[in-house]
Amino acid sequence: MAAGPAPEARPLMNKQTFLDNFSHLNYLNETYLCYEVDRMQDDLWIPLDEYKGFLRNKGADMGLERRHAELIFLERMASWNLDTELRYRVTCFISWSPCPDCADELVKFLRENRHVNLRIFAARIYERFPGYDTGLRALKAAGVKVTMMTFQEFEYCWKNFVDHQQDEDESFPPWDNLVVRSEELSQRLAGILQNQED
DNA sequence: ATTTTCAAT
């Protein structure tokens, strides 16, 4: 009776992958980025489930070309060809905040795509490279709402991007001091974003 | 103990 192929299930992230990558207690040399898109309609944001998913950076293994998660995401976004007559809000939940180079690329994309608004929730601040702070400020100046993930966002991602269908208890299992660490990082970020030079 | 960072600043 069932006609046609079953709808393709959206891929979900492995539980441990999420906990390993987004935790404040565990710093991996890789980055995961979860994303979703809303379209403005009658002053409301309507979720577009077809543009919901996650990805990870490429290249550390197998000798592939290295590529930060944001660059992969930018390519994916470009491939959607979002209608320039409409307004979109793109939300990213990313395990590391963007490096300065990725921040530049994001700013460039947003300049060329005025119909797209971007929000970035980062689990941790990536301060490996000098200029990480000016990169974050450039994002803010370009209209990106950059904030740290709080319990609410971790839980949201757990519910929306992580595969825990088999579990009896599907609630998000927070790690020790999640709320405190998130609050500390939020204050650090606030200081970075306030601190305009010149 | 809150050393860790999309590895190789």
Side-chain angles (χ1 to χ4, degrees):
Chain A
M1 199 103 232
E8 191 78 11
R10 182 164 61 87
L12 294 170
M13 195 186 303
N14 177 274
K15 279 186 297 188
Q16 202 55 48
T17 300
F18 179 80
L19 294 172
D20 286 347
N21 276 277
F22 285 82
S23 165
H24 298 127
L25 308 175
N26 194 27
Y27 290 38
L28 264 45
N29 293 321
E30 60 186 23
T31 297
Y32 275 80
L33 186 157
C34 304
Y35 58 87
E36 61 183 17
V37 181
D38 300 81
R39 191 186 71 214
M40 175 70 90
Q41 189 176 303
D42 301 327
D43 274 354
L44 288 170
W45 290 115
I46 310 297
L48 302 175
D49 285 340
E50 63 269 38
Y51 302 128
K52 191 165 176 170
F54 70 92
L55 53 83
R56 118 62 333 173
N57 72 296
K58 286 195 170 61
D61 35 19
M62 316 299 286
L64 299 169
E65 188 191 348
R66 293 214 165 96
R67 194 148 272 249
H68 277 192
E70 295 88 334
L71 269 31
I72 298 169
F73 179 63
L74 278 172
E75 285 174 1
R76 196 167 292 192
M77 238 194 317
S79 77
W80 295 336
N81 290 311
L82 297 174
D83 189 336
T84 53
E85 300 302 312
L86 302 175
R87 285 195 61 68
Y88 298 91
R89 180 180 70 183
V90 173
T91 307
C92 292
F93 304 94
I94 185 165
S95 59
W96 288 112
S97 64
C99 77
D101 290 347
C102 288
D104 284 350
E105 293 302 318
L106 289 165
V107 167
K108 203 178 297 177
F109 177 89
L110 292 170
R111 271 206 273 269
E112 294 161 1
N113 293 271
R114 301 285 184 172
H115 57 310
V116 176
N117 263 85
L118 181 62
R119 299 191 297 171
I120 295 176
F121 293 94
R124 298 158 308 195
I125 301 173
Y126 185 71
E127 45 196 326
R128 177 185 173 83
F129 298 125
Y132 78 95
D133 49 347
T134 48
L136 294 173
R137 273 180 233 125
L139 285 171
K140 181 191 176 189
V144 182
K145 187 185 166 237
V146 188
T147 49
M148 302 309 298
M149 290 174 72
T150 65
F151 183 94
Q152 184 181 317
E153 283 78 42
F154 289 117
E155 183 181 48
Y156 180 87
C157 284
W158 183 261
K159 284 184 182 159
N160 287 277
F161 298 102
V162 176
D163 180 11
H164 45 68
Q165 315 300 338
Q166 272 76 304
D167 299 11
E168 320 77 59
D169 182 4
E170 297 191 0
S171 59
F172 169 59
W175 47 87
D176 288 349
N177 294 321
L178 181 155
V179 173
V180 174
R181 291 289 289 126
S182 171
E183 179 57 32
E184 287 170 358
L185 288 167
S186 294
Q187 287 179 20
R188 289 239 317 273
L189 180 62
I192 290 165
L193 295 179
Q194 257 171 18
N195 196 10
Q196 306 291 356
E197 26 219 278
D198 81 346

